[in-house]
Amino acid sequence: MNDLGDLTVIIRSRFPIVTIETHEEPRVLELLERVANLENQALFVWNVTDGLRRRNPFPARSAGADARPAAARGPIPETHDITGALKHIHATPQNGIYVLLDIHPYTDNPVNQRLIKNTAQAYAKTARTIVLVGPKVSLPPDLDRMSARFELAIPDAAAIRGLIKEEAQSFIQSGGADRLTGHQEAFDILVQHLAGMCLDDARRLARQAIRDDGAITMDDISRVLKAKQEMLGANSPVEIQFATTKFSEVAGLKQLKRWLDQRRAAFLGRAASLGLDPPKGLLLVGVQGAGKSLAAKAVAGSWGVPLLGLDFSTLYNKWLGETERNLREALKFADAMAPCVLWMDEIEKGVAVGSSDGGESRRLLGSLLTWMAERKSRVFLVATANDIEQLPPELIRKGRFDEIFFVDLPDVEARAEIFSIHLKRRGLDPEKFDVAGLVGAAEGFSGAEIEQAIVSALYEAHAAEQPVATGHIAAEIERTRPLSVVMAERISALREWAAGRTVMAN
């Protein structure tokens, strides 16, 4: 994290307009004050309640000059209104940095746009840098081309460790405890989950975890995950998936499990010492209900890292450029959450390139491919797809993913595992069922269809006030027409495509 250096370079580059999208207003103002003092520039800050005020102290230009700090001086007259503030900035001969907070409601006003443009165009004569700060800052094209964008760095794992230690030391010094207790595993997981959050939010959650009981435990992890989900919001394209699983609960897929097991150590941080490149991700294609989504969840659960789900349907926005911006924000969050697994379910629905969306899917695909090629963070991408015909060639060519696996319908051995797993999950003893007979009857069934047969059998048995038995499940299997029958032609075509192009997962 080198926010001070990065922002200083932007100011020195003499951009007349700088935009900063953030919710961390105090952090931005503190950073801008450091830059202004470092560059020996005046710093003015405007908001709608206080008007335009100078933030850093006035230099003593002469023995009689007023060197009081800015806080001791009131707002500049007639600058509470944004238009009045912009008129003052344009008219003043005072060089400096002029920060406008919560500017987003006012940037659509053509008068304000003209005033900002006039000030920017006069930069060579009077060096006044206008810094626009808010949760969302949009500029028209003629202003955007004169601006530079600055983004606060999201704290990485090292910064979070330092933050937690600071809060722990503060807790101890306040008399809360002699020392901080807890478990190293819980501490490591807490660091992983706080990484990717803005600094203020991470500090609040770390403080809560420490001061709650003077210890960092797994209970704190659950609280942090819940808080992060609430902060992301219901419409966020990134969702933290809490319902992960282990590969011991996934039937079949032997080749896939072996492949992932070989790469676990390299992904979790020992790649450099092993002389290996960290694995980047895989694509799972195959029959619906065959276990692709479950396998994606199992990667995160078995590796012990956060699982992020990216919902492409929430990315799309009617405004030009907003969809790609949403994707960049989602990928930026994933980068900061590293190490983590990013799951893109039914990826073909998000990047299928057509002619009816004005090129939006093409731009979205371009942004995704750029990230896949250039990312350095330990984000393991697991993409699943049902309709391979919709996948663009650029995505599935060799090198985009480490490997492409085909997940077919379960074989005899896998179906037996599936029956046992779902019976045990519902408190039933597989030994009391004719699993071999059920396996034979369920040939051509997917894992999801087998599970549904067991669920339906439980309802039938309950309605008849009988304990569920093999006959109930067999009857449900008999009544079911699996996807392998209903869509036999499409599944056959899918298998034909996969032959020679993919690795069999089982």
Side-chain angles (χ1 to χ4, degrees):
M1 291 170 46
N2 188 19
D3 288 333
L4 179 62
D6 293 343
L7 185 55
T8 301
V9 168
I10 290 176
I11 296 298
R12 288 177 178 174
S13 299
R14 301 176 63 82
F15 281 95
I17 304 170
V18 179
T19 62
I20 306 176
E21 292 187 347
T22 181
H23 293 281
E24 298 185 88
E25 189 176 287
R27 184 180 165 197
V28 166
L29 290 177
E30 180 184 354
L31 182 63
L32 283 165
E33 185 168 1
R34 292 174 64 191
V35 172
N37 292 338
L38 182 67
E39 296 298 299
N40 196 28
Q41 292 199 44
L43 178 67
F44 295 84
V45 178
W46 176 90
N47 66 56
V48 71
T49 58
D50 296 333
L52 187 66
R53 297 171 181 255
R54 181 157 180 172
R55 183 178 172 94
N56 55 352
F58 283 84
R61 290 183 296 272
S62 64
D66 187 348
R68 288 178 296 167
R73 297 202 163 198
I76 296 172
E78 300 182 3
T79 61
H80 277 84
D81 177 76
I82 183 61
T83 302
L86 289 171
K87 287 180 178 178
H88 171 84
I89 294 170
H90 177 61
T92 182
Q94 172 68 63
N95 294 352
I97 301 171
Y98 293 81
V99 185
L100 308 179
L101 302 177
D102 298 324
I103 190 64
H104 50 285
Y106 310 106
T107 53
D108 289 337
N109 185 309
V111 175
N112 296 336
Q113 291 179 11
R114 184 71 250 183
L115 286 167
I116 294 173
K117 187 174 183 178
N118 288 344
T119 303
Q121 289 176 336
Y123 187 90
K125 180 179 178 182
T126 307
R128 294 157 297 190
T129 304
I130 297 177
V131 182
L132 309 176
V133 180
K136 184 177 180 181
V137 181
S138 299
L139 294 176
D142 55 338
L143 294 181
D144 193 52
R145 61 180 293 273
M146 293 187 286
S147 70
R149 180 179 296 273
F150 173 76
E151 295 183 1
L152 284 171
I154 294 178
D156 56 14
I160 293 297
R161 288 191 185 94
L163 181 150
I164 295 174
K165 290 178 181 178
E166 288 176 11
E167 290 301 321
Q169 190 63 35
S170 174
F171 177 65
I172 293 170
Q173 290 176 350
S174 67
D178 294 333
R179 63 187 181 87
L180 187 66
T181 60
H183 306 287
Q184 183 63 42
E185 181 183 5
F187 177 85
D188 293 339
I189 295 175
L190 179 64
V191 169
Q192 289 182 10
H193 285 302
L194 291 181
M197 306 185 72
C198 71
L199 205 60
D200 289 345
D201 291 337
R203 186 176 295 280
R204 279 190 288 269
L205 290 174
R207 184 179 299 140
Q208 183 183 18
I210 292 168
R211 295 179 179 267
D212 175 47
D213 54 7
I216 295 178
T217 65
M218 296 306 293
D219 290 338
D220 296 315
I221 306 304
S222 300
R223 187 186 303 116
V224 167
L225 286 173
K226 183 178 179 181
K228 289 186 73 170
Q229 187 64 60
E230 292 172 351
M231 290 174 183
L232 285 170
N235 296 321
S236 172
V238 179
E239 180 182 4
I240 300 174
Q241 299 283 332
F242 299 103
T244 58
T245 186
K246 302 285 188 180
F247 272 118
S248 59
E249 301 175 24
V250 180
L253 309 183
K254 292 180 181 178
Q255 295 277 33
L256 174 61
K257 292 176 182 178
R258 177 176 172 273
W259 188 91
L260 288 165
D261 187 58
Q262 290 176 340
R263 287 155 178 79
R264 183 178 186 276
F267 179 75
L268 293 178
R270 301 203 302 271
S273 62
L274 296 173
L276 300 171
D277 293 331
K280 293 185 176 181
L282 55 86
L283 174 64
L284 300 175
V285 298
V287 182
Q288 292 184 6
K292 299 187 297 299
S293 298
L294 187 63
K297 294 180 179 181
V299 176
S302 297
W303 287 2
V305 296
L307 175 65
L308 308 181
L310 178 60
D311 184 358
F312 275 99
S313 65
T314 62
L315 285 177
Y316 284 89
N317 189 293
K318 65 180 180 179
W319 303 111
L320 182 65
E322 283 300 298
T323 299
E324 301 96 285
R325 177 180 176 275
N326 289 340
L327 177 61
R328 288 194 300 270
E329 288 297 314
L331 297 176
K332 177 183 174 183
F333 181 86
D335 284 334
M337 281 287 293
C340 66
V341 172
L342 178 61
W343 172 33
M344 296 183 181
D345 196 22
E346 297 185 344
I347 190 173
E348 71 273 21
K349 293 184 178 179
V351 298
V353 179
S355 58
S356 60
D357 63 357
E360 195 167 54
S361 295
R362 173 65 66 181
R363 294 192 297 273
L364 199 68
L365 175 63
S367 296
L368 176 60
L369 294 179
T370 299
W371 175 80
M372 291 174 66
E374 297 180 355
R375 78 182 187 275
K376 304 298 183 182
S377 59
R378 285 182 295 155
V379 177
F380 189 81
L381 176 60
V382 179
T384 62
N386 294 319
D387 189 353
I388 48 91
E389 293 181 355
Q390 295 296 319
L391 291 174
E394 306 97 303
L395 184 66
I396 59 177
R397 74 163 177 79
K398 204 66 175 177
R400 297 298 188 190
F401 293 95
D402 293 331
E403 195 56 85
I404 302 176
F405 283 91
F406 180 72
V407 183
D408 205 344
L409 294 171
D411 57 17
V412 171
E413 184 179 347
R415 291 200 300 276
E417 286 186 67
I418 293 169
F419 274 108
S420 295
I421 288 171
H422 287 295
L423 289 170
K424 290 178 181 177
R425 188 173 293 171
R426 290 158 179 84
L428 301 172
D429 184 2
E431 296 294 330
K432 295 181 179 179
F433 293 82
D434 180 12
V435 173
L438 293 173
V439 166
E443 184 177 358
F445 276 55
S446 68
E449 289 165 339
I450 291 173
E451 180 182 13
Q452 192 55 47
I454 294 174
V455 171
S456 298
L458 285 167
Y459 278 110
E460 286 288 336
H462 177 75
E465 298 183 351
Q466 299 173 350
V468 66
T470 299
H472 294 105
I473 302 175
E476 289 300 326
I477 292 173
E478 178 66 25
R479 283 193 285 268
T480 302
R481 292 294 175 268
L483 199 65
S484 60
V485 173
V486 176
M487 303 187 69
E489 294 81 6
R490 290 193 62 179
I491 292 177
S492 177
L494 181 61
R495 286 170 172 158
E496 184 179 347
W497 177 90
R501 292 185 174 92
T502 65
V503 175
M504 295 297 111
N506 204 358

